[in-house]
Amino acid sequence: MTFKNLKLIEPLLDAIAKQGYTAPTPIQEQAIPHILQGKDLIGIAQTGTGKTAAFVLPLLQIMSQSPGRIIPRSPRTLVLAPTRELAAQIDESFATYGSFMRFRHTVIFGGVSQVAQVRAISTGVDVLVATPGRLLDLMNQRHVNLNHLEFLVLDEVDRMLDMGFLVDVKRIIAKLPTHRQSIFLSATMPPRISELAKTLLYHPVRVEVAPQATTVKLVQQKVLFVDERNKIAILLELLKHRDLKCVLIFTRTKRRANNVAKSLTTQGIRAEAIHGNKSQGQRTRALDNFKSGHARVMVATDIAARGIDIDDISHVINYDLPVDQIDNYVHRIGRTARAGAKGTAYSLCASYERNALREIESLIKMNIEVMSHSFHSNMARDAVGAAARPPPKQQRGQRRSNTNRPTGRHYRSR
Ligand code: AMP
């Protein structure tokens, strides 16, 4: 399958070629023809599958084939995204894929002054990408009017609901014309999300790609049993290895993200922290530093990391396991296996996180490789050794014999 087979027009094919894409990804292959035919669509796909281009490309094509007059404050296409970062990336994708076409687009999100955003909208845009809160604000102030909307995209709906945007999203949708084409994307489709989809879509086509296991399989996963007090020492040991070039570290709280970044920086490892207490300016600067390679490490909380699109993350480290929301494990490690690339994920597991680890393993339907002590320097070896939990009785013999393996690594037996 090629992009040409998908009946995309020349300016889009040129932009795709400029990006160096050789073939459509599965979600693009499945979704683009339906969207071009004007159908409503439910896409079940995670970040990293190429889902953004799957809706940006056909929407640009449809808009260019039925050019409409630009009406001040009244976009033709609205894309709703849960986070500022994701919204900015979608807006960038419109610029990238539409680089050989004439159309106007802009992005609005909270946390920054609305002045420039209002100015951009008031001159008129074809495409508006927005986070729900800021969009509602601007609608209430009559800076945005959605009466002429033709195309609606809801991206990462599961995240949007996790973040408490359901009421805002419903308020926005209540203001839209009923005659429109709608695209609904979510990584998961539990009942409350499919109920919402039913109320928004008209005879939708459903496409589903990259079940979570696909991403999971591409990532080499290892767990280290540690004592909570030694996590930072072990992290420093891991980071001594030069192949950990571009590392995304997850912590449970904002405070822990700050502390980890601070500890790394004092040890001479350039690290940025990104979380909800940072201003938009700080987040953008941190992201730029990380993307450019200026900072080798980014420490993030789950919410801050959502939607961040960085292609070359070599390693993900779960400094803390996602004990409260187990499926975040899959989202986290998926950061290092973007668009088919391979990656490695380490998890530091303290005693209070053992249950979470078991739940994660049952979610991903595999056992995660346990990293043996021989990996570490003396200091960290002691730290890990002190923390190693005696295995359950029936497994003792198994574990003892495993530690004699010449590879220095072993798998936990269940
Ligand atoms: P997304 O799932 O939209 O966040 O996309 C993940 C990454 O895949 C982005 O960095 C895109 O640039 C990249 N990508 C999108 N489509 C393709 C394609 N057909 N071939 C290779 N990479 C792609």
Side-chain angles (χ1 to χ4, degrees):
M1 175 65 77
T2 63
F3 280 103
K4 216 171 183 166
N5 297 143
L6 292 174
K7 303 203 167 57
L8 291 174
I9 54 178
E10 283 302 324
L12 292 174
L13 293 175
D14 291 346
I16 290 164
K18 203 169 144 196
Q19 287 306 300
Y21 303 165
T22 48
T25 63
I27 182 79
Q28 292 161 4
E29 202 175 313
Q30 293 184 47
I32 289 174
H34 293 302
I35 299 175
L36 285 177
Q37 284 168 19
K39 293 189 179 144
D40 280 7
L41 182 120
I42 296 181
I44 305 170
Q46 284 179 262
T47 320
T49 53
K51 67 181 170 62
T52 315
F55 66 84
V56 171
L57 291 167
L59 287 179
L60 282 172
Q61 177 149 332
I62 302 174
M63 284 193 290
S64 80
Q65 288 172 339
S66 62
R69 200 165 50 88
I70 287 207
I71 305 171
R73 292 184 290 282
S74 198
R76 297 181 73 186
T77 294
L78 170 67
V79 183
L80 282 182
T83 63
R84 314 158 197 198
E85 283 79 14
L86 183 63
Q89 277 156 25
I90 295 169
D91 184 58
E92 247 170 58
S93 295
F94 274 101
T96 303
Y97 302 127
S99 57
F100 298 108
M101 303 169 88
R102 285 171 64 87
F103 75 103
R104 291 204 223 155
H105 60 99
T106 197
V107 60
I108 62 173
F109 43 70
V112 293
S113 155
Q114 68 173 47
V115 177
Q117 299 178 354
V118 168
R119 200 180 309 125
I121 299 166
S122 62
T123 57
V125 289
D126 296 286
V127 177
L128 176 63
V129 186
T131 53
R134 176 54 61 96
L135 176 62
L136 257 185
D137 275 356
L138 297 191
M139 285 167 71
N140 291 337
Q141 298 171 50
R142 309 217 183 283
H143 290 303
V144 182
N145 160 354
L146 298 174
N147 291 347
H148 301 279
L149 197 85
E150 297 168 56
F151 309 98
L152 168 71
V153 180
L154 296 181
D155 197 10
E156 303 208 354
V157 177
D158 47 355
R159 300 256 180 235
M160 212 127 56
L161 300 200
D162 282 352
M163 293 172 75
F165 283 132
L166 180 62
V167 174
D168 285 357
V169 169
K170 283 187 166 165
R171 280 195 189 131
I172 292 165
I173 285 163
K175 304 270 185 212
L176 305 183
T178 42
H179 184 73
R180 58 166 197 260
Q181 184 177 359
S182 305
I183 297 162
F184 188 101
L185 294 167
S186 188
T188 54
M189 196 57 68
R192 69 188 183 125
I193 295 188
S194 51
E195 284 306 312
L196 178 67
K198 268 189 215 149
T199 65
L200 302 181
L201 303 168
Y202 178 74
H203 292 318
V205 179
R206 182 180 163 118
V207 303
E208 182 165 3
V209 295
Q212 297 189 334
T214 314
T215 316
V216 167
K217 271 184 209 142
L218 287 171
V219 182
Q220 223 192 344
Q221 298 164 66
K222 293 159 197 250
V223 61
L224 293 90
F225 291 117
V226 302
D227 187 300
E228 173 66 33
R229 287 164 305 175
N230 295 321
K231 276 189 173 179
I232 199 74
I234 288 162
L235 179 64
L236 284 165
E237 279 303 307
L238 282 172
L239 289 171
K240 278 188 184 160
H241 290 251
R242 287 178 181 273
D243 57 330
L244 277 75
K245 286 194 198 82
C246 179
V247 186
L248 182 58
I249 298 177
F250 286 92
T251 59
R252 201 170 51 244
T253 63
K254 298 168 197 170
R255 180 200 285 250
R256 282 167 78 84
N258 278 340
N259 288 346
V260 170
K262 221 181 271 166
S263 302
L264 296 182
T265 307
T266 55
Q267 295 293 323
I269 296 170
R270 297 194 91 115
E272 294 283 356
I274 187 169
H275 54 68
N277 285 359
K278 300 260 176 184
S279 71
Q280 186 54 30
Q282 287 173 318
R283 288 158 75 128
T284 308
R285 247 189 326 276
L287 210 55
D288 287 348
N289 275 342
F290 187 51
K291 276 187 178 172
S292 66
H294 192 65
R296 183 178 159 213
V297 173
M298 169 81 91
V299 192
T301 54
D302 283 303
I303 289 190
R306 281 172 187 174
I308 293 178
D309 177 20
I310 300 169
D311 283 339
D312 302 321
I313 292 171
S314 61
H315 292 73
V316 164
I317 299 180
N318 293 310
Y319 187 81
D320 299 316
L321 284 173
V323 286
D324 296 326
Q325 208 165 346
I326 295 303
D327 57 350
N328 274 343
Y329 177 83
V330 178
H331 293 295
R332 289 177 176 190
I333 69 166
R335 304 278 155 192
T336 181
R338 308 302 298 270
K342 285 207 157 65
T344 305
Y346 295 110
S347 297
L348 307 188
C349 178
S351 53
Y352 65 90
E353 295 168 305
R354 301 277 170 126
N355 282 343
L357 179 68
R358 270 191 288 276
E359 285 176 41
I360 287 166
E361 290 181 322
S362 87
L363 174 75
I364 62 176
K365 299 189 179 63
M366 60 190 272
N367 292 343
I368 301 174
E369 182 185 341
V370 179
M371 227 160 120
S372 84
H373 309 171
S374 60
F375 176 85
H376 305 287
S377 73
N378 289 339
M379 178 188 69
R381 178 162 50 225
D382 291 346
V384 177
R389 182 185 58 167
K393 265 189 179 138
Q394 69 275 21
Q395 292 179 9
R396 263 176 216 273
Q398 177 78 41
R399 183 172 282 260
R400 225 176 273 128
S401 66
N402 276 344
T403 52
N404 291 332
R405 281 189 189 166
T407 58
R409 291 176 181 163
H410 64 270
Y411 290 86
R412 247 177 323 155
S413 54
R414 292 289 187 292

